[in-house]
């Protein structure tokens, strides 16, 4: 079957907008949008068009060239996860997690339209895993053997990977905080704990919105004619979603554990202070007893020794205090 007109892989595609045509025969290449014809794309080929940022203005051209059903292009402006069916074409919108620094997680909307032997991905902002996939598959590959449905499952799995990376960043930040707590460098870390709690809640809200999308794609009534292989990919994808959910849900337990560690360290420091104050109180009490005895009005010979007796009493009290401090240090009371 005749393939779409193409450009050399070493030069940019003709026209302002191009897609990547993956060919099972190893002849992956860029193709101009105007040269794309769905009738000329065989089952051993897969066309991927990625529209990012300003390229989204070309959506009407893509919709016309790929003969999208009425109303499909208008639904690409949505910002919440969704799944819409248009016969043998479907639209799925997800939100990828992104760490803007200091655990400030935000979402990047990714909409994917899949039809017969083609996939179109649309996102207003750059997405790291899309760029990584494009770089990885810059040469010849075997992606052409995949159906459009299987390739969408792969993209969605990469999307879930963004949440695993976000959880990894979260755990690294929490580990640094706990190390500081144990080292005594973060004695007032309530602000950091509050930021961790906000980040965990943000990730949870972002991922929980996808539950209906992934569960719907794993059901038998989703693309029943797509074949068992594609359906198995979506069931596997749903399992990956639940693992991502468990990881994100675990971030709340991590924050609780860090707060308990902080509370325990604070209690230990408080115990140290109380123990020190108790020792000082006992020591002063002993010296006060000695001073009180020496101040009693009895005609004992020691009270007639004058300055010598006073110096001896003071030296005795200082020696007793020093001995008490040494014993307390040895027993780790202070």
């Amino acid at each position: 079957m005749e393939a779409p007109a193409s450009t050399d892989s070493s030069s940019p595609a003709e026209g302002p907008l191009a897609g990547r045509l993956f060919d099972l025969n190893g002849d992956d290449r860029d193709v101009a949008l105007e040269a794309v014809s769905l009738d000329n794309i065989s089952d051993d080929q897969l066309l991927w068009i990625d529209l990012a940022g300003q390229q989204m203005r070309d959506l009407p051209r893509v919709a016309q060239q790929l003969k999208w059903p009425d109303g499909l292009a208008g639904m690409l402006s949505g910002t919440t996860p969704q799944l819409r069916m248009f016969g043998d074409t479907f639209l799925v919108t997800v939100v990828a997690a992104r760490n803007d620094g200091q655990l400030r997680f935000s979402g990047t909307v990714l909409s994917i339209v899949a039809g017969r032997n083609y996939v179109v991905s649309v996102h207003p902002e750059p997405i790291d895993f899309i760029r990584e996939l494009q770089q990885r598959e810059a040469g010849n590959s075997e992606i052409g053997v995949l159906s459009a449905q299987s390739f969408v499952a792969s993209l969605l799995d990469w999307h879930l990977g963004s949440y695993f990376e976000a959880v990894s960043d979260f755990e690294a930040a929490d580990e640094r905080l706990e190390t500081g707590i144990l080292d005594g460098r973060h004695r007032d870390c309530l602000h950091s704990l509050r930021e961790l709690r906000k980040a965990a809640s943000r990730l949870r809200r972002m991922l929980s919105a996808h539950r209906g999308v992934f569960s719907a794609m794993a059901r038998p009534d989703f693309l029943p004619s797509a074949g068992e292989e594609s359906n198995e990919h979506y069931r596997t994808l749903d399992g990956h979603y639940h693992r991502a959910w468990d990881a994100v849900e675990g971030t709340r337990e991590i924050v609780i554990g860090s707060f308990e560690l902080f509370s325990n360290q604070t209690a230990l420091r408080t115990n140290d202070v109380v123990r020190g104050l108790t020792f000082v109180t006992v020591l002063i009490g002993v010296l006060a007893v000695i001073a009180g005895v020496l101040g009693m009005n009895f005609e004992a010979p020691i009270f007639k020794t004058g300055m010598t007796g006073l110096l001896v009493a003071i030296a005795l009290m200082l020696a007793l205090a020093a001995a008490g401090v040494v014993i307390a240090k040895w027993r780790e009371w202070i």
Side-chain angles (χ1 to χ4, degrees):
M1 183 175 293
E2 182 182 356
S6 64
T7 62
D8 187 85
S9 60
S10 62
S11 62
E14 297 177 0
L17 180 63
R20 185 71 173 172
L21 183 67
F22 298 103
D23 196 317
L24 180 59
N25 297 323
D27 188 20
D28 296 352
R29 56 198 181 276
D30 293 335
V31 294
L33 176 63
E34 289 75 9
V36 171
S37 174
L38 295 181
D39 295 333
N40 291 336
I41 301 178
S42 69
D43 291 338
D44 291 335
Q45 295 174 325
L46 177 65
L47 175 66
W48 179 26
I49 299 176
D50 183 63
L51 302 178
Q54 295 298 323
Q55 291 179 325
M56 292 178 61
R57 65 176 180 267
D58 292 316
L59 265 175
R61 294 172 50 205
V62 173
Q64 181 180 4
Q65 191 73 18
L66 298 180
K67 302 176 182 179
W68 283 358
D70 295 337
L72 193 157
M75 302 188 70
L76 290 173
S77 59
T79 58
T80 57
Q82 61 175 336
L83 178 64
R84 295 290 184 269
M85 302 298 301
F86 299 85
D88 59 352
T89 303
F90 67 91
L91 161 69
V92 58
T93 300
V94 293
V95 179
R98 184 184 66 214
N99 184 3
D100 295 328
Q102 303 299 321
L103 292 185
R104 294 183 177 88
F105 294 111
S106 60
T108 302
V109 178
L110 171 64
S111 296
I112 304 173
V113 178
R116 178 181 172 272
N117 297 330
Y118 76 84
V119 172
V120 178
S121 54
V122 182
H123 44 101
E125 298 176 349
I127 299 180
D128 290 340
F129 69 80
I130 293 286
R131 185 185 301 111
E132 182 179 348
L133 181 59
Q134 289 172 334
Q135 293 174 350
R136 193 190 72 179
E137 305 299 340
N140 292 330
S141 67
E142 296 183 353
I143 289 184
V145 74
L146 294 178
S147 65
Q149 295 80 10
S150 296
F151 187 66
V152 169
S154 178
L155 289 177
L156 293 178
D157 197 49
W158 281 77
H159 152 261
L160 289 177
S162 68
Y163 285 89
F164 285 110
E165 292 179 4
V167 171
S168 179
D169 293 341
F170 182 94
E171 292 175 342
D174 181 78
E175 183 178 351
R176 290 192 295 269
L177 176 63
E178 290 188 348
T179 301
I181 292 174
L182 293 173
D183 291 343
R185 291 184 283 108
H186 291 290
R187 297 198 173 188
D188 186 14
C189 64
L190 290 180
H191 174 74
S192 298
L193 287 170
R194 183 168 60 251
E195 292 301 316
L196 284 174
R197 184 67 178 84
K198 289 170 57 178
S201 298
R202 173 66 172 162
L203 283 177
R204 188 175 184 273
R205 289 194 303 270
M206 289 171 57
L207 187 59
S208 64
H210 296 81
R211 182 180 291 110
V213 172
F214 286 101
S215 62
M217 299 181 83
R219 288 196 293 263
D221 59 330
F222 176 68
L223 297 177
S225 61
E228 181 60 26
E229 181 179 0
S230 296
N231 292 332
E232 181 62 28
H233 289 163
Y234 286 115
R235 286 192 292 268
T236 301
L237 183 65
D238 186 50
H240 289 177
Y241 167 78
H242 286 289
R243 284 199 290 273
W245 174 255
D246 290 339
V248 170
E249 187 73 4
T251 57
R252 296 201 302 176
E253 300 298 325
I254 291 176
V255 175
I256 294 174
S258 297
F259 180 76
E260 291 179 349
L261 177 64
F262 171 69
S263 300
N264 291 337
Q265 289 298 107
T266 302
L268 288 175
R269 288 195 298 270
T270 302
N271 289 340
D272 291 339
V273 172
V274 171
R275 185 167 51 188
L277 291 175
T278 302
F279 169 75
V280 171
T281 301
V282 171
L283 184 60
I284 293 176
V286 172
L287 299 181
V289 169
I290 296 176
V293 171
L294 294 178
M296 297 175 68
N297 296 322
F298 288 100
E299 292 295 330
I302 189 174
F303 297 123
K304 299 179 180 180
T305 57
M307 182 59 68
T308 301
L310 175 63
L311 295 177
V312 170
I314 293 176
L316 177 63
M317 294 170 68
L318 291 176
L320 180 62
V325 171
V326 171
I327 294 174
K329 285 288 187 180
W330 174 57
R331 296 297 298 271
E332 296 183 353
W333 293 342
I334 58 175

